[in-house]
Short mmCIF file of all heavy atoms in Angstrom, two decimals:
data_model
loop_
_atom_site.label_atom_id
_atom_site.label_comp_id
_atom_site.label_asym_id
_atom_site.label_seq_id
_atom_site.Cartn_x
_atom_site.Cartn_y
_atom_site.Cartn_z
N THR X 464 4.08 5.50 -1.34
CA THR X 464 3.15 4.42 -1.63
C THR X 464 2.61 4.54 -3.05
O THR X 464 2.33 5.64 -3.54
CB THR X 464 1.98 4.41 -0.64
OG1 THR X 464 1.31 5.67 -0.70
CG2 THR X 464 2.49 4.17 0.77
N ARG X 465 2.48 3.38 -3.69
CA ARG X 465 2.14 3.36 -5.11
C ARG X 465 0.77 3.99 -5.39
O ARG X 465 0.60 4.75 -6.35
CB ARG X 465 2.15 1.93 -5.62
CG ARG X 465 1.83 1.81 -7.11
CD ARG X 465 2.09 0.39 -7.59
NE ARG X 465 1.80 0.26 -9.01
CZ ARG X 465 2.11 -0.80 -9.73
NH1 ARG X 465 2.75 -1.82 -9.18
NH2 ARG X 465 1.85 -0.84 -11.01
N THR X 466 -0.23 3.70 -4.55
CA THR X 466 -1.57 4.20 -4.83
C THR X 466 -1.62 5.72 -4.66
O THR X 466 -2.27 6.41 -5.44
CB THR X 466 -2.59 3.52 -3.88
OG1 THR X 466 -2.47 2.10 -4.05
CG2 THR X 466 -4.01 3.94 -4.22
N GLU X 467 -0.97 6.26 -3.65
CA GLU X 467 -0.93 7.70 -3.47
C GLU X 467 -0.25 8.38 -4.66
O GLU X 467 -0.72 9.42 -5.15
CB GLU X 467 -0.21 8.07 -2.16
CG GLU X 467 -0.98 7.77 -0.92
CD GLU X 467 -0.21 8.20 0.32
OE1 GLU X 467 -0.27 9.40 0.67
OE2 GLU X 467 0.46 7.33 0.93
N LEU X 468 0.85 7.81 -5.10
CA LEU X 468 1.54 8.37 -6.27
C LEU X 468 0.68 8.30 -7.52
O LEU X 468 0.59 9.24 -8.28
CB LEU X 468 2.87 7.67 -6.47
CG LEU X 468 3.98 7.98 -5.48
CD1 LEU X 468 5.16 7.05 -5.68
CD2 LEU X 468 4.46 9.45 -5.63
N GLU X 469 0.04 7.16 -7.71
CA GLU X 469 -0.82 6.99 -8.88
C GLU X 469 -1.96 8.01 -8.88
O GLU X 469 -2.28 8.59 -9.90
CB GLU X 469 -1.37 5.57 -8.91
CG GLU X 469 -2.14 5.23 -10.18
CD GLU X 469 -2.62 3.81 -10.19
OE1 GLU X 469 -2.84 3.21 -9.11
OE2 GLU X 469 -2.79 3.24 -11.30
N GLY X 470 -2.55 8.23 -7.72
CA GLY X 470 -3.61 9.20 -7.62
C GLY X 470 -3.12 10.62 -7.89
O GLY X 470 -3.81 11.43 -8.52
N ALA X 471 -1.92 10.93 -7.42
CA ALA X 471 -1.37 12.27 -7.63
C ALA X 471 -0.99 12.52 -9.07
O ALA X 471 -1.14 13.61 -9.61
CB ALA X 471 -0.18 12.49 -6.72
N ILE X 472 -0.49 11.47 -9.74
CA ILE X 472 -0.07 11.59 -11.13
C ILE X 472 -1.27 11.75 -12.05
O ILE X 472 -1.28 12.58 -12.97
CB ILE X 472 0.75 10.37 -11.56
CG1 ILE X 472 2.09 10.35 -10.82
CG2 ILE X 472 0.99 10.37 -13.06
CD1 ILE X 472 2.85 9.03 -10.97
N GLY X 473 -2.34 10.98 -11.81
CA GLY X 473 -3.51 11.07 -12.68
C GLY X 473 -3.22 10.52 -14.06
O GLY X 473 -2.32 9.71 -14.24
N GLY X 474 -3.95 11.01 -15.02
CA GLY X 474 -3.73 10.56 -16.41
C GLY X 474 -2.52 11.21 -17.03
O GLY X 474 -1.86 12.07 -16.46
N GLY X 475 -2.20 10.74 -18.22
CA GLY X 475 -1.04 11.30 -18.92
C GLY X 475 0.18 10.44 -18.75
O GLY X 475 0.32 9.70 -17.78
N GLY X 476 1.10 10.54 -19.70
CA GLY X 476 2.26 9.67 -19.67
C GLY X 476 3.60 10.39 -19.46
O GLY X 476 4.64 9.85 -19.79
N ASP X 477 3.55 11.64 -18.95
CA ASP X 477 4.78 12.39 -18.78
C ASP X 477 5.59 11.91 -17.56
O ASP X 477 6.78 12.17 -17.46
CB ASP X 477 4.49 13.89 -18.66
CG ASP X 477 3.50 14.19 -17.54
OD1 ASP X 477 2.63 13.34 -17.26
OD2 ASP X 477 3.59 15.30 -16.96
N ILE X 478 4.94 11.19 -16.63
CA ILE X 478 5.59 10.69 -15.44
C ILE X 478 5.45 9.17 -15.42
O ILE X 478 4.34 8.65 -15.55
CB ILE X 478 5.00 11.30 -14.16
CG1 ILE X 478 5.24 12.82 -14.13
CG2 ILE X 478 5.62 10.66 -12.90
CD1 ILE X 478 4.62 13.50 -12.94
N ALA X 479 6.55 8.45 -15.22
CA ALA X 479 6.52 6.98 -15.13
C ALA X 479 6.35 6.58 -13.66
O ALA X 479 6.80 7.30 -12.75
CB ALA X 479 7.81 6.39 -15.70
N LEU X 480 5.71 5.46 -13.45
CA LEU X 480 5.50 4.95 -12.08
C LEU X 480 5.92 3.48 -12.03
O LEU X 480 5.43 2.65 -12.79
CB LEU X 480 4.03 5.06 -11.70
CG LEU X 480 3.63 4.57 -10.28
CD1 LEU X 480 4.36 5.37 -9.23
CD2 LEU X 480 2.13 4.65 -10.10
N ASP X 481 6.87 3.17 -11.16
CA ASP X 481 7.45 1.83 -11.08
C ASP X 481 7.42 1.32 -9.62
O ASP X 481 7.79 2.07 -8.71
CB ASP X 481 8.90 1.81 -11.58
CG ASP X 481 9.01 2.30 -13.02
OD1 ASP X 481 8.65 1.53 -13.91
OD2 ASP X 481 9.45 3.45 -13.20
N PRO X 482 7.00 0.06 -9.42
CA PRO X 482 7.06 -0.49 -8.06
C PRO X 482 8.51 -0.75 -7.65
O PRO X 482 9.40 -0.91 -8.48
CB PRO X 482 6.31 -1.80 -8.20
CG PRO X 482 6.45 -2.18 -9.65
CD PRO X 482 6.49 -0.88 -10.39
N LEU X 483 8.75 -0.73 -6.35
CA LEU X 483 10.08 -1.02 -5.80
C LEU X 483 9.98 -2.29 -4.95
O LEU X 483 9.12 -2.39 -4.08
CB LEU X 483 10.57 0.16 -4.93
CG LEU X 483 10.80 1.48 -5.67
CD1 LEU X 483 11.12 2.59 -4.65
CD2 LEU X 483 11.95 1.34 -6.65
N GLY X 484 10.90 -3.23 -5.19
CA GLY X 484 10.83 -4.50 -4.49
C GLY X 484 12.15 -5.02 -3.98
O GLY X 484 12.23 -6.17 -3.61
N MET X 485 13.18 -4.17 -3.95
CA MET X 485 14.49 -4.67 -3.49
C MET X 485 14.44 -4.99 -2.00
O MET X 485 13.76 -4.31 -1.21
CB MET X 485 15.60 -3.65 -3.79
CG MET X 485 15.42 -2.27 -3.18
SD MET X 485 14.48 -1.09 -4.20
CE MET X 485 15.47 -0.97 -5.66
N PRO X 486 15.15 -6.06 -1.58
CA PRO X 486 15.07 -6.50 -0.18
C PRO X 486 15.54 -5.45 0.81
O PRO X 486 15.13 -5.47 1.98
CB PRO X 486 15.97 -7.75 -0.16
CG PRO X 486 16.82 -7.65 -1.39
CD PRO X 486 16.01 -6.90 -2.42
N GLU X 487 16.40 -4.55 0.41
CA GLU X 487 16.91 -3.54 1.36
C GLU X 487 15.81 -2.60 1.87
O GLU X 487 15.99 -1.90 2.88
CB GLU X 487 18.00 -2.72 0.68
CG GLU X 487 19.31 -3.47 0.43
CD GLU X 487 19.28 -4.20 -0.91
OE1 GLU X 487 18.20 -4.28 -1.55
OE2 GLU X 487 20.36 -4.65 -1.34
N LEU X 488 14.67 -2.59 1.20
CA LEU X 488 13.57 -1.73 1.66
C LEU X 488 13.03 -2.19 3.02
O LEU X 488 12.45 -1.39 3.77
CB LEU X 488 12.43 -1.74 0.65
CG LEU X 488 12.62 -0.88 -0.61
CD1 LEU X 488 11.51 -1.18 -1.61
CD2 LEU X 488 12.60 0.59 -0.24
N ARG X 489 13.21 -3.52 3.29
CA ARG X 489 12.75 -4.10 4.55
C ARG X 489 11.25 -3.94 4.76
O ARG X 489 10.77 -3.87 5.90
CB ARG X 489 13.52 -3.50 5.73
CG ARG X 489 15.02 -3.81 5.71
CD ARG X 489 15.74 -3.29 6.92
NE ARG X 489 17.15 -3.59 6.85
CZ ARG X 489 18.02 -3.22 7.77
NH1 ARG X 489 17.62 -2.56 8.84
NH2 ARG X 489 19.31 -3.52 7.64
N ILE X 490 10.52 -3.82 3.70
CA ILE X 490 9.06 -3.75 3.80
C ILE X 490 8.46 -4.38 2.54
O ILE X 490 8.84 -4.01 1.42
CB ILE X 490 8.59 -2.28 3.99
CG1 ILE X 490 7.06 -2.25 4.20
CG2 ILE X 490 9.00 -1.39 2.83
CD1 ILE X 490 6.57 -0.89 4.64
N ARG X 491 7.62 -5.34 2.72
CA ARG X 491 6.98 -6.02 1.60
C ARG X 491 5.64 -5.34 1.30
O ARG X 491 5.13 -4.58 2.11
CB ARG X 491 6.76 -7.49 1.97
CG ARG X 491 8.03 -8.29 2.24
CD ARG X 491 7.69 -9.69 2.65
NE ARG X 491 8.86 -10.50 2.92
CZ ARG X 491 8.83 -11.76 3.35
NH1 ARG X 491 7.68 -12.37 3.53
NH2 ARG X 491 9.95 -12.41 3.57
N PRO X 492 5.07 -5.64 0.14
CA PRO X 492 3.70 -5.18 -0.10
C PRO X 492 2.77 -5.59 1.03
O PRO X 492 2.88 -6.71 1.55
CB PRO X 492 3.33 -5.87 -1.42
CG PRO X 492 4.66 -6.06 -2.11
CD PRO X 492 5.64 -6.37 -1.00
N TRP X 493 1.91 -4.69 1.45
CA TRP X 493 1.08 -4.99 2.62
C TRP X 493 -0.41 -4.82 2.27
O TRP X 493 -0.81 -3.90 1.60
CB TRP X 493 1.45 -4.11 3.79
CG TRP X 493 1.29 -2.61 3.56
CD1 TRP X 493 0.24 -1.84 3.95
CD2 TRP X 493 2.21 -1.71 2.89
NE1 TRP X 493 0.45 -0.52 3.60
CE2 TRP X 493 1.65 -0.44 2.93
CE3 TRP X 493 3.46 -1.91 2.28
CZ2 TRP X 493 2.28 0.68 2.37
CZ3 TRP X 493 4.08 -0.80 1.70
CH2 TRP X 493 3.51 0.46 1.76
N PRO X 494 -1.24 -5.79 2.73
CA PRO X 494 -2.68 -5.69 2.49
C PRO X 494 -3.35 -4.71 3.44
O PRO X 494 -3.02 -4.64 4.62
CB PRO X 494 -3.17 -7.12 2.72
CG PRO X 494 -2.16 -7.71 3.64
CD PRO X 494 -0.86 -7.03 3.38
N LEU X 495 -4.27 -3.94 2.88
CA LEU X 495 -5.07 -3.02 3.67
C LEU X 495 -6.42 -3.63 3.95
O LEU X 495 -7.03 -4.22 3.08
CB LEU X 495 -5.26 -1.70 2.92
CG LEU X 495 -3.99 -0.93 2.54
CD1 LEU X 495 -4.34 0.27 1.67
CD2 LEU X 495 -3.24 -0.50 3.81
N GLY X 496 -6.89 -3.50 5.19
CA GLY X 496 -8.17 -4.10 5.56
C GLY X 496 -8.90 -3.21 6.54
O GLY X 496 -8.82 -2.00 6.50
N MET X 497 -9.67 -3.86 7.44
CA MET X 497 -10.57 -3.17 8.35
C MET X 497 -10.30 -3.58 9.79
O MET X 497 -9.67 -4.59 10.06
CB MET X 497 -12.02 -3.49 8.02
CG MET X 497 -12.41 -3.30 6.57
SD MET X 497 -14.16 -3.79 6.29
CE MET X 497 -13.90 -5.21 5.27
N ALA X 498 -10.84 -2.81 10.72
CA ALA X 498 -10.76 -3.16 12.13
C ALA X 498 -12.07 -2.80 12.81
O ALA X 498 -12.67 -1.76 12.57
CB ALA X 498 -9.60 -2.42 12.82
N VAL X 499 -12.51 -3.69 13.71
CA VAL X 499 -13.67 -3.44 14.57
C VAL X 499 -13.23 -3.79 15.99
O VAL X 499 -12.16 -4.31 16.22
CB VAL X 499 -14.89 -4.28 14.16
CG1 VAL X 499 -15.34 -3.96 12.74
CG2 VAL X 499 -14.60 -5.79 14.30
N LYS X 500 -14.11 -3.54 16.96
CA LYS X 500 -13.81 -3.93 18.33
C LYS X 500 -13.61 -5.44 18.41
O LYS X 500 -14.23 -6.19 17.65
CB LYS X 500 -14.93 -3.47 19.27
CG LYS X 500 -14.98 -1.99 19.54
CD LYS X 500 -16.10 -1.68 20.48
CE LYS X 500 -16.17 -0.15 20.73
NZ LYS X 500 -17.30 0.18 21.64
N LYS X 501 -12.82 -5.88 19.34
CA LYS X 501 -12.49 -7.29 19.47
C LYS X 501 -13.74 -8.16 19.61
O LYS X 501 -13.81 -9.27 19.06
CB LYS X 501 -11.57 -7.50 20.68
CG LYS X 501 -11.04 -8.92 20.81
CD LYS X 501 -10.09 -9.25 19.67
CE LYS X 501 -9.44 -10.60 19.88
NZ LYS X 501 -8.51 -10.93 18.76
N ASP X 502 -14.75 -7.67 20.35
CA ASP X 502 -15.93 -8.47 20.61
C ASP X 502 -17.03 -8.30 19.55
O ASP X 502 -18.15 -8.78 19.74
CB ASP X 502 -16.48 -8.21 22.00
CG ASP X 502 -16.83 -6.74 22.22
OD1 ASP X 502 -16.62 -5.93 21.28
OD2 ASP X 502 -17.30 -6.40 23.31
N SER X 503 -16.73 -7.59 18.46
CA SER X 503 -17.73 -7.37 17.41
C SER X 503 -17.58 -8.41 16.30
O SER X 503 -17.42 -8.08 15.14
CB SER X 503 -17.59 -5.94 16.85
OG SER X 503 -17.88 -4.97 17.82
N GLY X 504 -17.66 -9.68 16.70
CA GLY X 504 -17.47 -10.74 15.74
C GLY X 504 -18.54 -10.79 14.68
O GLY X 504 -18.26 -11.06 13.51
N GLN X 505 -19.80 -10.56 15.06
CA GLN X 505 -20.90 -10.59 14.07
C GLN X 505 -20.71 -9.49 13.04
O GLN X 505 -20.94 -9.72 11.83
CB GLN X 505 -22.23 -10.44 14.76
CG GLN X 505 -22.70 -11.69 15.47
CD GLN X 505 -24.08 -11.51 16.05
OE1 GLN X 505 -24.33 -10.57 16.84
NE2 GLN X 505 -25.01 -12.37 15.69
N LEU X 506 -20.28 -8.33 13.48
CA LEU X 506 -20.06 -7.22 12.57
C LEU X 506 -18.91 -7.54 11.62
O LEU X 506 -19.00 -7.29 10.40
CB LEU X 506 -19.79 -5.93 13.32
CG LEU X 506 -19.48 -4.69 12.48
CD1 LEU X 506 -20.63 -4.38 11.52
CD2 LEU X 506 -19.19 -3.48 13.37
#
């Protein structure tokens, strides 16, 4: 995952970081969000 790699690399330019988007990956970029109990609509 890009964010984990970016965090591990930190500053400096000795390591390049490139996104991967070829269709054979069978996984698109995915949004991260939150979860609460089903009946916790107000929350």
Side-chain angles (χ1 to χ4, degrees):
T464 58
R465 181 171 181 170
T466 305
E467 288 181 82
L468 286 171
E469 187 177 27
I472 292 169
D477 55 330
I478 297 177
L480 181 62
D481 301 285
L483 296 172
M485 58 272 298
E487 290 88 348
L488 283 171
R489 297 183 180 179
I490 184 169
R491 298 177 180 177
W493 61 99
L495 300 174
M497 308 178 247
V499 299
K500 288 181 181 178
K501 187 68 174 180
D502 57 359
S503 296
Q505 284 184 304
L506 178 58

